[in-house]
Amino acid sequence: MTKIIGVISIKGGVGKTTAVTNLANVLSNEFDKKVLVVDANFSAPTLALYLGLKEYDFSLHDVLNDKIPVSDAILKHNLGFDVIPSSLVPKKINPYDLKEKLEHLKEYYDIILLDSSPNLNEEILATMVASDELFVVSTPDHPTLKSTINAVNVAQKKKTPITGIILNRVRNKNFEVNLNDIELATSVPVLAVLPEDVKVLEALSRSIPVSNYYPKRDLSIEYKKLGGCIVGNSFKDNRFITKVKDVLKREIPKQEVNRSCMIEAIK
Ligand SMILES: Nc1ncnc2c1ncn2[C@@H]1O[C@H](COP(=O)(O)OP(=O)(O)O)[C@@H](O)[C@H]1O
Ligand SMILES: [Mg+2]
């Protein structure tokens, strides 16, 4: 069964597009899934640029305006997944048509990832309506926690299940909002805790997802574990450093426990 997963937040710059590109990479290359990523950030799209796709003849806007069939807007990325970019030139569309257009693609893909707009208007609502499930991306600060609580509430009103929270750009400082604070405030499990890592920006400068450019970084391993829990498989981190850390570890991190629960639920 194809899953359409919307990656949302009601705040820009938290890491939605980064998460979508990295999940596309790990789902297709580590888990051998057929993946499509769609830029549903209609008014400020960046997905194609993150993936080095600078020129394209057609966009999601043309599909929504019934100018072309959806198959004509699909680009093949050399990392093994497909991409539907949005237009960099403003064009009037009805974002709510997205759901119906994606229905036709379900038979060709295992997973369709939607990169959402951060604006609380019909753009993000269209992503919520078109998705079977949602991930909310958050960062460990109070203003973003507020916006995450808001995103969870809006999604619940739209009746789209929220599978989990991706906590990004964590520096492990004691002033940060932590995983427990977020779970308590939202009642949604945190399924990944991604460190702040300058290599994300280095990889972006080459238009390559960091999980492909630096596959052994902690952040890349965390994306692989998150990808694994989406498809019901646990990803084994075989790095020597992890084996050493495991011996010294006193308890299993909560995000690991949450992922195991999700994998069990999928099985
Ligand atoms: N874990 C991270 N460590 C360091 N930089 C990050 C991390 N995640 C994202 N970034 C950077 O933060 C910026 C915003 O990320 P982006 O994915 O575009 O956010 P959004 O799509 O939510 O607006 C980008 O420059 C990206 O490279
Ligand atoms: Mg974005």
Side-chain angles (χ1 to χ4, degrees):
M1 262 261 291
T2 307
K3 277 189 195 178
I4 301 183
I5 302 175
V7 178
I8 65 160
S9 73
I10 309 179
K11 194 165 185 291
V14 292
K16 294 178 292 302
T17 308
T18 307
V20 166
T21 55
N22 281 287
L23 284 174
N25 174 55
V26 303
L27 289 168
S28 51
N29 293 306
E30 297 290 336
F31 299 100
D32 217 19
K33 298 293 171 192
K34 280 193 266 171
V35 181
L36 170 71
V37 291
V38 179
D39 198 341
N41 188 353
F42 302 102
S43 52
T46 54
L47 182 67
L49 300 174
Y50 272 49
L51 293 167
L53 305 166
K54 294 196 180 80
E55 282 178 28
Y56 40 91
D57 295 329
F58 302 116
S59 68
L60 182 57
H61 289 69
D62 302 316
V63 177
L64 298 178
N65 281 333
D66 287 323
K67 286 209 172 117
I68 53 162
V70 66
S71 54
D72 284 4
I74 298 174
L75 304 175
K76 299 250 161 242
H77 195 276
N78 59 14
L79 291 180
F81 51 85
D82 290 355
V83 185
I84 301 185
S86 262
S87 171
L88 295 169
V89 183
K91 289 181 187 177
K92 206 169 157 33
I93 44 129
N94 178 2
Y96 290 110
D97 292 337
L98 179 65
K99 183 179 173 65
E100 185 244 317
K101 300 291 179 194
L102 293 179
E103 282 303 317
H104 303 297
L105 293 173
K106 274 190 157 182
E107 63 180 296
Y108 303 105
Y109 296 99
D110 300 311
I111 290 159
I112 300 175
L113 296 165
L114 307 184
D115 183 20
S116 147
S117 157
N119 301 322
L120 185 47
N121 57 23
E122 56 183 19
E123 294 200 17
I124 193 171
L125 297 179
T127 294
M128 290 179 181
V129 171
S131 301
D132 300 317
E133 56 184 273
L134 297 167
F135 280 91
V136 185
V137 183
S138 194
T139 50
D141 56 275
H142 285 285
T144 307
L145 175 59
K146 267 261 173 235
S147 77
T148 300
I149 296 168
N150 195 13
V152 168
N153 290 338
V154 176
Q156 279 166 347
K157 281 195 191 114
K158 286 281 157 196
K159 304 217 171 351
T160 310
I162 305 153
T163 304
I165 289 173
I166 298 170
L167 181 56
N168 189 29
R169 309 196 75 156
V170 173
R171 294 177 177 87
N172 284 321
K173 301 285 182 198
N174 56 15
F175 56 77
E176 287 180 332
V177 171
N178 65 33
L179 178 148
N180 293 328
D181 302 329
I182 296 174
E183 291 194 342
L184 202 63
T186 61
S187 303
V188 177
V190 172
L191 290 176
V193 177
L194 298 154
E196 171 77 20
D197 189 342
V198 72
K199 297 290 184 198
V200 174
L201 293 161
E202 187 187 336
L204 180 62
S205 75
R206 315 241 163 196
S207 310
I208 300 172
V210 65
S211 54
N212 191 277
Y213 199 61
Y214 286 111
K216 296 206 161 101
R217 298 290 288 184
D218 284 350
L219 172 108
S220 303
I221 299 293
E222 189 73 355
Y223 272 123
K224 291 177 197 187
K225 290 181 175 177
L226 178 62
C229 103
I230 289 173
V231 298
N233 265 321
S234 47
F235 176 83
K236 189 97 193 83
D237 175 7
N238 285 323
R239 294 174 304 170
F240 177 70
I241 181 75
T242 307
K243 287 180 186 144
V244 175
K245 280 186 189 161
D246 278 352
V247 174
L248 303 170
K249 200 155 65 185
R250 278 204 231 119
E251 60 184 271
I252 301 171
K254 181 75 186 342
Q255 63 274 24
E256 290 280 3
V257 176
N258 290 342
R259 286 193 289 255
S260 303
C261 292
M262 191 168 151
I263 290 167
E264 278 309 308
I266 291 173
K267 278 180 190 163

